[in-house]
């Protein structure tokens, strides 16, 4: 399995998860339960395993199968969270979706927007995908700020879209396609050229979410 080279911008880096990361990731997830629970995917069929050793093995199998790329986000060499490129579709769709979480103690350091930008650039330049999507709960203001900063384009309201924190939840959908960011998402953001209103949500969708 060829592993993608780590990406770095300042103190923030993005690399493919390793099996030995499981213990650190599990400790972070346990220590951040109240912080992360409102945004965590759950199963309508009941509780799922919280064993990160199993979780990392599954993610790496998806990587080998070409259906996803599981990253860890680091700050000054310390694991700060996870970012997964999942649902990779090839052929005429050539798209994927990004999901992520960051530990509370690392919040506010620009880790998530930087990592999302780097992951999207990897998807467009190395994986040769055409479209990247992020779906966010209306209540998740921190994640909404991420797509606003990076200039992801709002595409619509998805009703009861993903099972989160024990129920089916509405999500706002945002996306970018490769042609919109020829210079790269990270470069466009760092240089202050990301459109400020691309992620604007129409009042009607805000009202009905």
């Amino acid at each position: 399995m060829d592993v993608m080279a780590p990406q770095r911008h300042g103190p923030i880096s993005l690399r493919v998860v390793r099996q030995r990361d499981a213990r650190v990731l599990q400790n972070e997830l346990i220590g951040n339960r109240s912080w992360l629970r409102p945004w965590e995917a759950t199963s309508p069929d009941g509780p799922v395993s919280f064993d990160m050793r199993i979780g990392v093995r599954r993610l790496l199998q998806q990587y080998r199968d070409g259906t996803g790329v599981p990253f860890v986000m680091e700050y000054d060499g310390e694991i700060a969270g996870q970012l997964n490129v999942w649902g990779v579709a090839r052929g005429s769709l050539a798209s994927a979706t990004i999901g992520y979480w960051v530990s509370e103690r690392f919040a506010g350091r620009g880790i998530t927007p930087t990592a999302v930008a780097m992951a999207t650039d990897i998807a467009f330049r190395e994986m040769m995908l055409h479209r990247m999507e992020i779906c966010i709960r209306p209540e998740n203001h921190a994640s909404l700020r991420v797509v606003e900063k990076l200039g992801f384009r709002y595409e619509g309201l998805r009703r009861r879209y993903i099972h989160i924190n024990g129920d089916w939840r509405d999500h706002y959908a945002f996306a970018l396609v490769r042609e919109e960011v020829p210079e790269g998402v990270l470069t466009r953001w760092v240089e202050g050229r990301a459109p400020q209103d691309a992620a604007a949500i129409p009042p009607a969708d805000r009202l009905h979410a």
Side-chain angles (χ1 to χ4, degrees):
M1 177 177 62
D2 294 330
V3 177
M4 292 179 179
Q7 304 292 309
R8 178 176 294 277
H9 180 74
I12 300 163
S13 60
L14 190 70
R15 63 168 174 81
V16 174
V17 71
R18 305 168 185 140
Q19 192 63 54
R20 63 177 176 269
D21 296 325
R23 182 175 58 83
V24 176
L25 289 169
Q26 181 146 336
N27 289 341
E28 289 294 333
L29 287 169
I30 291 171
N32 282 266
R33 295 310 301 140
S34 60
W35 168 255
L36 296 173
R37 186 178 290 113
W39 322 117
E40 281 185 344
T42 46
S43 171
D45 299 321
V48 295
S49 171
F50 198 63
D51 188 337
M52 277 306 295
R53 292 171 300 176
I54 296 172
V56 170
R57 279 200 295 270
R58 287 174 178 164
L59 289 170
L60 289 173
Q61 184 60 55
Q62 291 170 12
Y63 186 38
R64 286 188 289 270
D65 293 341
T67 59
V69 185
F71 294 104
V72 291
M73 300 182 282
E74 294 181 324
Y75 189 87
D76 280 338
E78 188 175 1
I79 290 178
Q82 278 185 279
L83 183 151
N84 293 319
V85 176
W86 59 276
V88 174
R90 296 291 182 176
S92 57
L93 194 55
S95 70
T97 299
I98 281 181
Y100 50 79
W101 62 264
V102 68
S103 296
E104 185 174 14
R105 63 197 176 98
F106 288 103
R109 302 188 193 187
I111 296 170
T112 303
T114 303
V116 168
M118 290 192 289
T120 304
D121 287 342
I122 289 170
F124 289 164
R125 294 173 176 173
E126 297 187 32
M127 300 172 66
M128 301 307 295
L129 297 179
H130 178 249
R131 180 178 182 275
M132 182 63 78
E133 179 176 279
I134 300 178
C135 294
I136 300 170
R137 284 188 59 184
E139 303 88 349
N140 194 340
H141 301 294
S143 281
L144 291 174
R145 286 195 295 272
V146 170
V147 291
E148 290 167 2
K149 288 176 181 178
L150 298 180
F152 271 71
R153 177 175 28 78
Y154 180 68
E155 289 197 332
L157 173 64
R158 296 190 175 175
R159 298 281 189 188
R160 299 178 63 79
Y161 179 55
I162 303 176
H163 203 271
I164 300 284
N165 193 25
D167 201 359
W168 297 102
R169 312 288 182 176
D170 291 350
H171 281 69
Y172 294 140
F174 304 86
L176 280 176
V177 295
R178 194 192 311 166
E179 294 90 339
E180 293 175 278
V181 281
E183 71 274 58
V185 182
L186 183 62
T187 296
R188 186 177 74 162
W189 175 46
V190 169
E191 294 181 354
R193 291 187 284 109
Q196 297 301 298
D197 59 351
I201 300 161
D205 284 1
R206 288 188 180 277
L207 180 65
H208 291 106

